[in-house]
C-alpha cells in the first residue's frame, strides 16, 4: 500500500478564531509585541487586500489602512485552537501531528476509500472547516515535503509517483529552507524546485548546507520523514450514572467516595496531584449543580479530598433527584512518589495543608497568607507576604545581631518630655496618647538605607534603633535619626513592639 500524506495549512488561524468570538467588519489584524515594537501577527482577507502583510510594523499598517481594527495577539489561545483542530482531524487519520504554528500533517494511508476517495475526503475536510469560518488550504501527496510544499502554494492532489513533476514548478522556498538560502539560490538563477532536482548533491551541500539537500530529498521521497503525533494529555475525569435518582447528602457523598477512588488511582498512575476539582451533579430535571474546591497543595488522598467537598454538597438542592455524577480534576500538578520521613512530620504537614485548603475555599486562596524571610536589614523589607497555597515554608536564616520585635508597623511619632542625654532614648515620652517612663534601654542598632532603592521613608538617612523597656510594661522598638537635631519635639519614632 502506497503511503499518502495530507497537509493542512491555516494561513489565518489566529485572526479566524478571534473573529469567531467577536466578529468585526472591514480590515482586521492581530498585533504582537516583539522587543520594543508592535508587529502585525495575523490578518483577515480584507486587510490583506489593502496591501498589509504579517511581520510589518503596526504603525506602518495603521498608516496604510487608517480604518484597521486591531487586537492584541493571544499566542496561547492560538496554540490551543491548533491543538483542538489536531484532535478533531483524528476523524480522517489516527496519526495527526502539528506542522508548525499554523498547520497539520496527517498520514492517511488506507483511509481515503472510507470517504469515497482522496478528492471526496479533501472536499469533506474543506466543507466542514469553512462552515465554521476557518480559512485553509490542503494537499495530498506521497511524501510529507511534497504535501507541505503544495499546501502552501495553492493545494491539490498529487497522484502516486508524481511528486517530482508535481513540485518541480514550485519556488524553492516551498522546501522549508531559510530565507537566506532561498535568496542565495535565486542569485544563482535557481528559482524553482525543478532547477535543483537534477543537480549534484555534493556541490549544493558545500555551497548552501546539508539542510537544503535533506529537504529536497525528503520532498522527493529519497529520505524518510515520518509523522510523529504527540501524545494527548491525560484526562482526569470520572463519571457515574445512578440506577435510580438520589437526593440524600449521604448518598451523594457515598457516590463521591467511589469517584474519588477511581480518580486518585488515575492520578497516581501519572504521578499527578489535583489542585482544583469540580463535582457536577446532573439532576432529573436536566439542571446541573456544581461544587468546586481548591487544594493548597497537590493531593490524591480520597478521604481528605472528600472532607473538603462536604460543605458544598450539603448546600446543593437535589430537586427531583440526581441521576448522574461527574468528577473532574481540571488543574493538576506533578506529585511524584516521595520517601515518608516519619508519621508525625507527615501528619503535621497534611493537617496544615488541609487547614489552608479549608480557609482558601471559604475566604479565597489569595487571602490566606504566610511570611517568608527576605535578605534585607530594613525592617519593613525583612519579610515577604505570599499566598500560602502557592508557596512553601522556608526556615528563617540564622539571625546575627540584636533581637527584632514580633510586631512591626509603620513609624509612629514619639513625643519626648523634657531633656535627656543626647544619643540615648528619652527618659519620658508619649506614644499613642499614653505616657511612658524608660526603665532600661539597649542599643543602638544602626541601620543604613539601601541606596539601590529610592524609598521616601528612608531618605532621612541612618537610623539608630533602641530596645526600650518601660515601667508601664511596654517593650518598644524606638529609633532616632542621627542627622536630625538632638531633641526637637518629634525626632524619635516607634516602629515595633516586643512580645
Amino acid at each position: 500500500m502506497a503511503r499518502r500524506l495530507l497537509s493542512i495549512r491555516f494561513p489565518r488561524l489566529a485572526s479566524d478564531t478571534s473573529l469567531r468570538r467577536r466578529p468585526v467588519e472591514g480590515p482586521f489584524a492581530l498585533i504582537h509585541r516583539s522587543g520594543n515594537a508592535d508587529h502585525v501577527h495575523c490578518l483577515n482577507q480584507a486587510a490583506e487586500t489593502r496591501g498589509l502583510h504579517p511581520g510589518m510594523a503596526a504603525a506602518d499598517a495603521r498608516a496604510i489602512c487608517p480604518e484597521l481594527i486591531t487586537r492584541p495577539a493571544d499566542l496561547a489561545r492560538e496554540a490551543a485552537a491548533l491543538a483542538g483542530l489536531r484532535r478533531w482531524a483524528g476523524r480522517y487519520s489516527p496519526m495527526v501531528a502539528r506542522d508548525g504554528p499554523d498547520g497539520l500533517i496527517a498520514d492517511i494511508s488506507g483511509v481515503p476509500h472510507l470517504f469515497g476517495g482522496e478528492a471526496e475526503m479533501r472536499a469533506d475536510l474543506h466543507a466542514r472547516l469553512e462552515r465554521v469560518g476557518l480559512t485553509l488550504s490542503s494537499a495530498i501527496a506521497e511524501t510529507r515535503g511534497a504535501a507541505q510544499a503544495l499546501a502552501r502554494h495553492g493545494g491539490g492532489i498529487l497522484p502516486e509517483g508524481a511528486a517530482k513533476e508535481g513540485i518541480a514548478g514550485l519556488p524553492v522556498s516551498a522546501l522549508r529552507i531559510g530565507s537566506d538560502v532561498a535568496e542565495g539560490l535565486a542569485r544563482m538563477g535557481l528559482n524553482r524546485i525543478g532547477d535543483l532536482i537534477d543537480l549534484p548533491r555534493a556541490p549544493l551541500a558545500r555551497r548552501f548546507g546539508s539542510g537544503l539537500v535533506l529537504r529536497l530529498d525528503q520532498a522527493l521521497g529519497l529520505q524518510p520523514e515520518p509523522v510523529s503525533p504527540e501524545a494527548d494529555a491525560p484526562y482526569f475525569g470520572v463519571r457515574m450514572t445512578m440506577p435510580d435518582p438520589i437526593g440524600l447528602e449521604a448518598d451523594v457523598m457515598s457516590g463521591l467516595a467511589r469517584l474519588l477512588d477511581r480518580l486518585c488511582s488515575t492520578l497516581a498512575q501519572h504521578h499527578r496531584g489535583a489542585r482544583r476539582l469540580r463535582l457536577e451533579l446532573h439532576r432529573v430535571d436536566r439542571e446541573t449543580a456544581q461544587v468546586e474546591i481548591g487544594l493548597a497543595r497537590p493531593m490524591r488522598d480520597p478521604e481528605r479530598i472528600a472532607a473538603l467537598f462536604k460543605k458544598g454538597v450539603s448546600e446543593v438542592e437535589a430537586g427531583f433527584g440526581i441521576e448522574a455524577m461527574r468528577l473532574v480534576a481540571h488543574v493538576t500538578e506533578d506529585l511524584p512518589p516521595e520517601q515518608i520521613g516519619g508519621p508525625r512530620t507527615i501528619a503535621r504537614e497534611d493537617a496544615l495543608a488541609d487547614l489552608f485548603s479549608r480557609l482558601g475555599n471559604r475566604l479565597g486562596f489569595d487571602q490566606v497568607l504566610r511570611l517568608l524571610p527576605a535578605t534585607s536589614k530594613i525592617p519593613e523589607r525583612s519579610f515577604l507576604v505570599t499566598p500560602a497555597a502557592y508557596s512553601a515554608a522556608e526556615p528563617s536564616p540564622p539571625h546575627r545581631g540584636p533581637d527584632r520585635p514580633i510586631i512591626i508597623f509603620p513609624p509612629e511619632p514619639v513625643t519626648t518630655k523634657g531633656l535627656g542625654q543626647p544619643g540615648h532614648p528619652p527618659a519620658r515620652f508619649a506614644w499613642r496618647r499614653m505616657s511612658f517612663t524608660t526603665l532600661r534601654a539597649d542599643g543602638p542598632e544602626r541601620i543604613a538605607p539601601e541606596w539601590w532603592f529610592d524609598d521616601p521613608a528612608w531618605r532621612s538617612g541612618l537610623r539608630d534603633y533602641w530596645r526600650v523597656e518601660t515601667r508601664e510594661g511596654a517593650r518598644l522598638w524606638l529609633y532616632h535619626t542621627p542627622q536630625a537635631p538632638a531633641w526637637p519635639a518629634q525626632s524619635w519614632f516607634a516602629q515595633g513592639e516586643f512580645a
Side-chain angles (χ1 to χ4, degrees):
M1 181 177 60
R3 188 183 185 215
R4 302 296 284 169
L5 296 170
L6 167 65
S7 177
I8 311 171
R9 180 174 179 260
F10 303 95
R12 293 192 284 270
L13 176 63
S15 60
D16 288 344
T17 53
S18 180
L19 291 174
R20 284 191 63 194
R21 296 191 306 273
R22 294 167 52 197
V24 299
E25 297 293 336
F28 171 79
L30 292 174
I31 304 300
H32 177 61
R33 188 167 188 82
S34 177
N36 295 324
D38 292 332
H39 298 276
V40 174
H41 177 67
C42 192
L43 302 159
N44 67 349
Q45 186 174 4
E48 290 181 356
T49 57
R50 293 296 193 92
L52 308 184
H53 58 85
M56 69 184 305
D60 295 340
R62 294 188 180 98
I64 297 173
C65 183
E67 64 271 23
L68 180 68
I69 301 173
T70 62
R71 294 176 192 163
D74 190 341
L75 302 185
R77 189 182 293 274
E78 181 182 353
L82 185 62
L85 288 170
R86 184 186 66 82
R87 292 191 296 270
W88 175 85
R91 71 187 312 272
Y92 299 103
S93 170
M95 298 183 63
V96 183
R98 287 183 294 181
D99 182 24
D102 62 349
L104 299 173
I105 187 72
D107 190 335
I108 59 171
S109 303
V111 177
H113 72 278
L114 300 176
F115 294 84
E118 293 179 348
E120 289 75 8
M121 170 188 279
R122 185 167 174 264
D124 181 78
L125 171 72
H126 280 251
R128 291 178 181 273
L129 292 178
E130 290 172 356
R131 192 180 304 137
V132 297
L134 295 179
T135 304
L136 75 152
S137 62
S138 66
I140 299 176
E142 57 188 335
T143 67
R144 179 172 180 172
Q148 289 173 327
L150 190 60
R152 283 157 173 76
H153 292 83
I157 300 176
L158 293 181
E160 296 181 17
K164 180 178 180 179
E165 295 77 9
I167 65 174
L170 299 180
V172 293
S173 58
L175 290 175
R176 297 170 291 160
I177 57 179
S179 58
D180 54 340
V181 177
E183 292 173 359
L185 291 170
R187 286 194 295 269
M188 297 183 63
L190 304 174
N191 298 307
R192 303 292 175 182
I193 297 178
D195 300 334
L196 304 175
I197 292 178
D198 296 327
L199 292 180
R201 297 297 190 260
L204 282 178
R206 285 195 302 269
R207 177 65 178 83
F208 300 101
S210 59
L212 171 63
V213 175
L214 175 63
R215 290 303 189 189
L216 179 61
D217 289 344
Q218 287 176 339
L220 298 176
L222 302 177
Q223 289 287 342
E225 189 176 9
V227 175
S228 302
E230 60 270 25
D232 291 328
Y235 174 72
F236 301 108
V238 290
R239 181 183 174 89
M240 175 188 296
T241 302
M242 308 300 173
D244 294 307
I246 61 175
L248 297 178
E249 178 184 345
D251 294 337
V252 176
M253 293 301 297
S254 177
L256 174 63
R258 297 186 180 184
L259 293 176
L260 280 171
D261 286 339
R262 293 161 51 192
L263 177 63
C264 292
S265 176
T266 304
L267 288 170
Q269 293 175 7
H270 293 85
H271 295 172
R272 305 286 290 181
R275 283 299 299 265
R276 296 200 67 86
L277 300 101
R278 181 174 60 249
L279 174 63
E280 299 176 0
L281 303 174
H282 300 274
R283 303 191 320 196
V284 175
D285 57 1
R286 303 297 178 89
E287 296 292 332
T288 301
Q290 293 186 359
V291 180
E292 185 164 342
I293 66 166
L295 301 174
R297 69 175 187 177
M299 188 187 307
R300 53 173 181 258
D301 188 332
E303 294 183 2
R304 293 167 58 199
I305 296 176
L308 299 173
F309 271 107
K310 189 172 182 60
K311 180 179 182 297
V313 170
S314 65
E315 299 173 353
V316 170
E317 177 60 43
F320 294 103
I322 297 170
E323 61 179 358
M325 300 172 61
R326 182 168 174 259
L327 180 64
V328 180
H330 54 92
V331 178
T332 63
E333 293 182 5
D334 288 331
L335 185 60
E338 58 185 9
Q339 181 67 36
I340 298 177
R344 293 186 178 180
T345 302
I346 297 300
R348 184 167 59 252
E349 293 178 355
D350 291 345
L352 187 60
D354 291 346
L355 174 62
F356 289 156
S357 298
R358 292 180 183 276
L359 293 176
N361 285 307
R362 288 175 178 264
L363 307 175
F365 283 93
D366 291 335
Q367 304 300 321
V368 184
L369 308 175
R370 67 154 43 105
L371 299 180
L372 298 178
T375 56
S376 177
K377 297 295 185 181
I378 303 299
E380 53 268 33
R381 296 200 193 116
S382 61
F383 60 90
L384 301 175
V385 180
T386 62
Y390 310 123
S391 60
E394 297 180 11
S396 299
H399 178 66
R400 296 179 181 178
D403 294 336
R404 292 290 179 88
I406 299 298
I407 302 174
I408 295 178
F409 42 78
E412 299 177 1
V414 169
T415 304
T416 60
K417 297 182 178 181
L419 297 177
Q421 185 178 359
H424 290 267
R428 291 185 300 117
F429 59 92
W431 173 64
R432 293 184 179 178
R433 298 183 181 181
M434 296 180 291
S435 298
F436 296 93
T437 301
T438 300
L439 180 61
R440 60 178 60 89
D442 185 16
E445 177 190 1
R446 175 160 291 184
I447 299 178
E450 295 172 337
W451 55 267
W452 52 93
F453 290 117
D454 184 16
D455 189 347
W458 280 79
R459 288 176 181 172
S460 56
L462 299 172
R463 292 181 184 179
D464 286 342
Y465 282 85
W466 293 78
R467 295 172 302 284
V468 176
E469 184 177 347
T470 65
R471 291 185 182 275
E472 291 74 16
R475 301 175 65 237
L476 304 177
W477 205 37
L478 307 183
Y479 76 83
H480 171 65
T481 303
Q483 294 87 345
W487 293 102
Q490 291 184 351
S491 64
W492 286 82
F493 295 86
Q495 198 178 355
E497 188 173 1
F498 293 88

